[in-house]
């Protein structure tokens, strides 16, 4: 279902593009399609300025008992698979909840989607449920989402312990929950089985090396150079995949952000050591020139334009979705990431989908029911189309993505599904800052400077940490 071009896929928030087709409308379409002015019975307010809490409209009483309550869901996903899956999800929801009718709005993913959504919330005319592209914390910190903990306590399927811990924490801010995660596609290392077999090396998951040193030694087995140019490589973890940085930090005993204390820790000793390690790996195994390495080929991910699919890269990083979506044309396996000298276990990062009830909705009870459905039972439908690993732990393990079954077998699909689901137990806390987008871009730029040898790991991370902490402090004051 991957439809974005390759350059978009390699940006710091590349997974976010996974559910986008070409932008078919700008944010203004959200206002035009869904109504830009509040109803007469709702209070009107000017859009909130940056950092300012959006005013909440007084909830209107539920619709008269003579007919179903109509709730509005705004969702920007435009890929063919989502356009096929979502109507089925809505139909099943309405059948299970005959007193609720869903008015589905699909304005497309223009650059102004988030801004237009915030404008509607501030103006007292929010949709009842919204798909979020920015983290729930970014919305919650400005008072734009309804806190749903009280609903979760009485929920049939969406109680707090029904979700993997880290994905649920990505929906929380200051100890309260403001959204539900339906998916949490975990990252892993994909292996080219044939290249391993050529060298007589096992691809058994349990036997795969557990530490950075061991994986780096394994990687060297596959490196081929000609006149200083890399022709084939073993593993290049420092190329692309910046959404995995929280896991790499954790696997060396560090972390990027502490949500409890609202503190960035990018420049910790553990994180400096992590980038020092990557820099030595680049220097000693790949000639030390990141630009020359990039010019030799695309060493990132498992998609058709990559050196992995061309048979020139033995191991690569990607998310669970690549298992069905990348159309890998040869036998492959997935294994866990290794841990560093400062760490003691493997962690994974994940990329979630979030659904939330905006502050001021007229039908909060019905809206939460839809949020709950999409994040639980409804995800069974989505998952059959798209290998976005469910964040809901109770989904039947026999529910697997149809394309993966077609490409492999039911047994293999269930095995891959089980691997990624189990790995979510070791997912790192992430996506939980109210300045997440800014921090991702800032850290991505810092790592790029390190690999290009513009700055040392210590200096680059110190500068990035100050920028992120200053931005966070500014946001919290607002």
């Amino acid at each position: 279902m991957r439809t974005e071009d390759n350059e978009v896929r390699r940006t710091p928030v590349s997974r976010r593009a996974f559910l986008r087709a070409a932008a078919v409308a700008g944010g203004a379409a959200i206002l035009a399609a869904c109504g830009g002015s509040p109803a007469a019975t709702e209070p009107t307010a000017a859009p909130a300025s940056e950092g300012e809490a959006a005013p909440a409209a007084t909830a209107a009483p539920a619709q008269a008992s003579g007919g179903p309550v109509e709730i509005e869901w705004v969702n920007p996903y435009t890929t063919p698979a989502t356009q096929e899956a979502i109507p089925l999800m809505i139909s099943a929801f309405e059948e299970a909840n005959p007193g609720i009718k869903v008015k589905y709005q699909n304005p497309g993913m223009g650059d102004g989607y988030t801004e237009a959504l915030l404008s509607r919330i501030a103006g007292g005319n929010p949709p009842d449920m919204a798909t979020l592209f920015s983290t729930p914390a970014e919305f919650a910190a400005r008072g734009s989402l309804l806190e749903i903990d009280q609903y979760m306590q009485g929920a049939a399927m969406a109680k707090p312990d029904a979700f993997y811990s880290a994905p649920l924490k990505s929906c929380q801010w200051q100890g309260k929950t403001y959204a539900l995660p339906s998916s949490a596609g975990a990252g892993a290392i994909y292996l080219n089985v044939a290249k391993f077999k050529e060298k007589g090396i096992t691809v058994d998951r349990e036997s795969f090396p557990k530490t950075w040193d061991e994986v780096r030694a394994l990687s060297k087995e596959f490196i081929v150079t000609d006149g200083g140019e890399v022709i084939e490589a073993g593993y290049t973890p420092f190329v692309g995949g910046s959404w995995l940085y929280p896991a790499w930090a954790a696997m060396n005993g560090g972390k990027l952000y502490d949500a409890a204390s609202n503190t960035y820790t990018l420049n910790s000793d553990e994180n400096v050591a992590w980038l020092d390690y990557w820099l030595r790996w680049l220097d000693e195994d790949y000639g030390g020139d990141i630009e020359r390495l990039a010019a030799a080929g695309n060493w990132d991910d498992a998609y058709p334009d990559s050196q992995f699919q061309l048979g020139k890269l033995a191991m690569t990083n990607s998310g669970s979705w690549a298992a069905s979506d990348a159309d890998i044309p040869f036998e492959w396996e997935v294994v866990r990431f290794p841990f560093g000298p400062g760490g003691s276990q493997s962690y994974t990062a994940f990329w979630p989908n979030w659904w939330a009830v905006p502050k001021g909705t007229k039908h909060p009870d019905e809206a939460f029911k839809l949020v709950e459905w999409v994040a639980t039972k409804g995800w069974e439908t989505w998952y059959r189309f798209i290998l976005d690993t469910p964040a809901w732990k109770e989904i039947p393990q026999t529910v697997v993505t149809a394309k993966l079954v077609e490409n492999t077998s039911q047994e293999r699909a269930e095995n891959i599904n089980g691997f990624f689901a189990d790995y979510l137990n070791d997912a790192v806390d992430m996506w939980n800052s109210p300045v997440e987008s800014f921090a991702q871009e800032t850290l991505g730029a810092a790592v790029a400077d390190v690999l290009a040898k513009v700055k040392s790991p210590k200096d680059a991370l110190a500068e990035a940490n100050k920028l992120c902490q200053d931005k966070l402090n500014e946001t919290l004051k607002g």
Side-chain angles (χ1 to χ4, degrees):
M1 197 197 65
R2 200 101 170 187
T3 58
E4 80 289 1
D5 64 39
N6 300 323
E7 290 307 312
V8 171
R9 172 158 29 96
R10 288 193 286 271
T11 58
V13 289
S14 58
R15 173 63 176 82
R16 194 60 50 87
F18 174 57
L19 290 166
R20 301 181 196 171
V24 298
I30 301 174
L31 299 176
C34 308
S37 58
T41 57
E42 298 174 331
T44 302
S49 60
E50 183 68 29
E52 181 181 347
T58 303
Q63 195 163 317
S65 58
V69 174
E70 183 177 81
I71 58 175
E72 180 189 355
W73 173 13
V74 173
N75 174 64
Y77 299 157
T78 57
T79 56
T82 57
Q83 292 193 32
E84 189 173 356
I86 290 174
L88 295 175
M89 296 166 72
I90 291 174
S91 178
F93 171 78
E94 290 177 341
E95 183 177 348
N97 297 272
I100 305 174
K101 180 73 175 175
V102 179
K103 179 183 178 182
Y104 180 63
Q105 299 286 353
N106 182 218
M109 187 55 213
D111 290 339
Y113 170 77
T114 295
E115 290 74 13
L117 176 59
L118 285 168
S119 180
R120 285 194 61 186
I121 296 170
N125 182 42
D128 298 286
M129 179 175 116
T131 303
L132 303 185
F133 260 29
S134 297
T135 65
E138 292 180 79
F139 282 85
R142 60 184 293 152
S144 298
L145 298 179
L146 184 71
E147 183 259 306
I148 61 172
D149 290 285
Q150 70 275 21
Y151 288 103
M152 293 182 70
Q153 293 301 327
M157 297 173 289
K159 286 185 167 55
D161 60 0
F163 297 92
Y164 291 99
S165 175
L168 184 60
K169 286 181 180 178
S170 77
C171 298
Q172 296 173 338
W173 164 244
Q174 302 293 274
K176 296 182 179 180
T177 309
Y178 292 92
L180 286 182
S182 49
S183 72
I189 301 176
Y190 283 71
L191 311 180
N192 182 327
V193 171
K195 293 189 76 65
F196 275 70
K197 286 183 176 179
E198 286 173 6
K199 294 185 176 294
I201 303 172
T202 180
V203 293
D204 176 67
R205 288 180 195 151
E206 295 304 316
S207 301
F208 190 77
K210 301 298 188 293
T211 69
W212 291 359
D213 287 346
E214 292 169 341
V215 171
R216 182 181 166 190
L218 175 62
S219 171
K220 289 181 180 180
E221 296 285 329
F222 299 95
I223 297 175
V224 177
T225 60
D226 183 8
E229 181 176 333
V230 177
I231 305 301
E232 296 189 21
Y235 186 42
T236 55
F238 38 79
V239 178
S242 58
W243 64 280
L244 295 168
Y245 288 173
W248 284 103
M251 287 185 290
N252 201 44
K255 67 190 315 181
L256 303 181
Y257 172 68
D258 182 71
S261 62
N262 297 318
T263 304
Y264 273 94
T265 57
L266 304 181
N267 61 334
S268 68
D269 291 344
E270 294 85 357
N271 291 340
V272 171
W274 153 41
L275 292 192
D276 274 328
Y277 193 99
W278 270 9
L279 201 56
R280 291 196 305 275
W281 197 334
L282 173 66
D283 286 346
E284 296 170 11
D285 294 2
Y286 294 107
D289 189 333
I290 192 67
E291 293 184 3
R292 186 175 183 182
L293 180 64
N298 175 18
W299 308 97
D300 177 27
D301 222 309
Y303 280 77
D305 68 330
S306 67
Q307 297 299 88
F308 182 73
Q309 283 220 13
L310 294 174
K312 296 182 179 181
L313 180 64
M315 298 170 274
T316 193
N317 298 333
S318 196
S320 64
W321 51 90
S324 64
D325 191 55
D327 292 320
I328 302 172
F330 46 74
E331 187 180 0
W332 52 270
E333 186 54 272
V334 284
V335 296
R336 291 181 168 229
F337 295 115
F339 55 85
S344 59
Q345 74 168 86
S346 175
Y347 288 95
T348 189
F350 61 95
W351 204 304
N353 290 296
W354 298 296
W355 323 97
V357 180
K359 182 72 79 64
T361 173
K362 297 183 290 294
H363 308 295
D365 294 351
E366 292 81 1
F368 177 78
K369 286 185 177 181
L370 180 57
V371 168
E372 178 184 25
W373 177 268
V374 172
T376 57
K377 289 293 294 182
W379 207 249
E380 294 182 20
T381 298
W382 183 293
Y383 194 52
R384 289 186 173 95
F385 283 88
I386 307 159
L387 211 157
D388 260 341
T389 307
W392 185 47
K393 294 188 291 187
E394 298 175 17
I395 193 167
Q397 291 302 300
T398 54
V399 175
V400 292
T401 307
K403 188 175 180 181
L404 184 58
V405 175
E406 292 171 7
N407 292 343
T408 58
S409 66
Q410 178 72 24
E411 181 180 6
R412 172 68 170 164
E414 290 181 20
N415 179 272
I416 296 298
N417 175 77
F419 167 81
F420 282 111
D422 181 65
Y423 209 178
L424 284 177
N425 289 307
D426 295 314
V428 67
D429 292 347
M430 58 187 296
W431 305 107
N432 53 359
S433 166
V435 294
E436 186 70 37
S437 299
F438 176 85
Q440 284 187 3
E441 293 176 4
T442 302
L443 178 58
V447 174
D449 283 344
V450 169
L451 295 174
K453 301 181 180 176
V454 175
K455 298 173 184 174
S456 70
K458 183 176 181 179
D459 290 345
L461 290 178
E463 292 175 16
N465 197 79
K466 185 178 187 309
L467 287 170
C468 292
Q469 191 64 51
D470 288 348
K471 182 70 171 178
L472 177 60
N473 292 342
E474 178 186 343
T475 300
L476 296 177
K477 287 179 182 177

